[in-house]
Amino acid sequence: MKFLQFTDIHLTKDGETIGGRDPVLNFRKGLAHAMEFHADAEALFITGDLSDWGDAEDYQKLKDILRDVPVPVYPLIGNHDERALLRAAFPDLADPNGFVQYTVPLSLGTAICLDTWGPQSHAGHFCETRAAWLQAQLSRLEGPVWIFMHHNPVALRIAPMDKIMLLDADRFAATIQPFSGRIRHIYHGHCHLPLAGSLHGIPLYAPRGTNHAGWADFSATRLLSSAELPEAYAVTFADTASTMTHMVEFGYAGDIKGEGSPDYADWDRTTMVR
């Protein structure tokens, strides 16, 4: 099984930039790159911050862009989004309580897409109603389960980022703990950083976003940090025994150098590039 994760695409009006980068152009570039090399993926998940300001026009633009993508695409909600406008554009994504969360059958198990949005807040929220919905899904699904969400449920130990992580992280952790044996992986966005960790033994992963990049400044106390790093998305390969996720830096514009053959017999001082 192969699936893709895009995150923090932050769509804006055409020509507008964020940090000097055009998020619409970069999203299109990322999709073109992914479809060139991974058009055989069975799903593409966009883990939130679909729009930069939650404008209705951005969600229509997203629908227009995705119309030509041959892979099924599943958008999630992030803190920059507006739930009502996102639901209006993608009504099939709402659960009975109005949250933007749903399940997706995969060739290997099921994906659960969660709503961690809260009004007038960059931090994540996971109320009792959402927790009950997640518990119900986990109770009925045999697994493996792949959870997708926007906000990180584990602290980064970077003070400004931890102020806007999932505030109800304890509730989320308590909800998934009894089902940890059937949850294969958790994927999130929000941080604009490549991250790997675990929660109750469940692996966590986040790639850098498709536009502006974050920077892990462990001395920061108030402000978030950014850096001029390549735009990226993630591709995951999975089978019944293993999972491997790559962060694909499609925004890298430098040279790709051949280093030499991996065969041991070919490793010598003449042929290896050093």
Side-chain angles (χ1 to χ4, degrees), residues 198-214:
S198 66
L199 178 61
H200 290 312
I202 305 166
L204 290 157
Y205 178 79
R208 196 179 299 136
T210 59
N211 195 63
H212 44 301

Side-chain angles (χ1 to χ4, degrees), residues 9-90:
I9 62 176
H10 286 267
L11 297 184
T12 59
K13 294 180 173 61
D14 288 338
E16 288 188 354
T17 63
I18 303 172
R21 304 185 187 195
D22 186 329
V24 177
L25 178 62
N26 283 324
F27 179 53
R28 291 182 183 275
K29 285 182 178 180
L31 286 174
H33 188 280
M35 293 306 99
E36 179 180 357
F37 294 99
H38 306 295
D40 58 336
E42 62 183 74
L44 190 165
F45 299 91
I46 309 178
T47 48
D49 283 0
L50 309 174
S51 169
D52 194 44
W53 292 102
D55 294 334
E57 294 84 354
D58 295 336
Y59 300 122
Q60 184 57 53
K61 182 180 300 178
L62 178 60
K63 292 184 72 172
D64 293 342
I65 294 173
L66 296 181
R67 195 166 286 124
D68 296 327
V69 176
V71 173
V73 181
Y74 302 98
L76 282 76
I77 191 169
N79 53 287
H80 279 254
D81 294 306
E82 286 294 335
R83 186 189 282 142
L85 296 176
L86 176 55
R87 278 198 323 239
F90 297 91

Side-chain angles (χ1 to χ4, degrees), residues 139-186:
S139 296
R140 71 178 180 82
L141 296 170
E142 295 182 359
V145 170
W146 314 80
I147 292 179
F148 294 84
M149 58 198 299
H150 181 66
H151 290 85
N152 52 304
V154 173
L156 272 60
R157 305 304 194 267
I158 300 173
M161 282 303 311
D162 290 345
K163 291 179 181 178
I164 57 172
M165 65 175 285
L166 185 68
L167 299 184
D168 301 311
D170 290 344
R171 178 180 288 126
F172 175 76
T175 303
I176 66 171
Q177 184 177 17
F179 306 97
S180 59
R182 68 183 69 172
I183 302 173
R184 177 72 72 89
H185 224 104
I186 299 170

Side-chain angles (χ1 to χ4, degrees), residues 97 101 126-139 171 175:
N97 296 302
Q101 48 190 24
F126 192 69
C127 61
E128 292 182 0
T129 301
R130 281 175 275 193
W133 182 89
L134 176 57
Q135 183 180 38
Q137 308 315 309
L138 291 171
S139 296
R171 178 180 288 126
T175 303

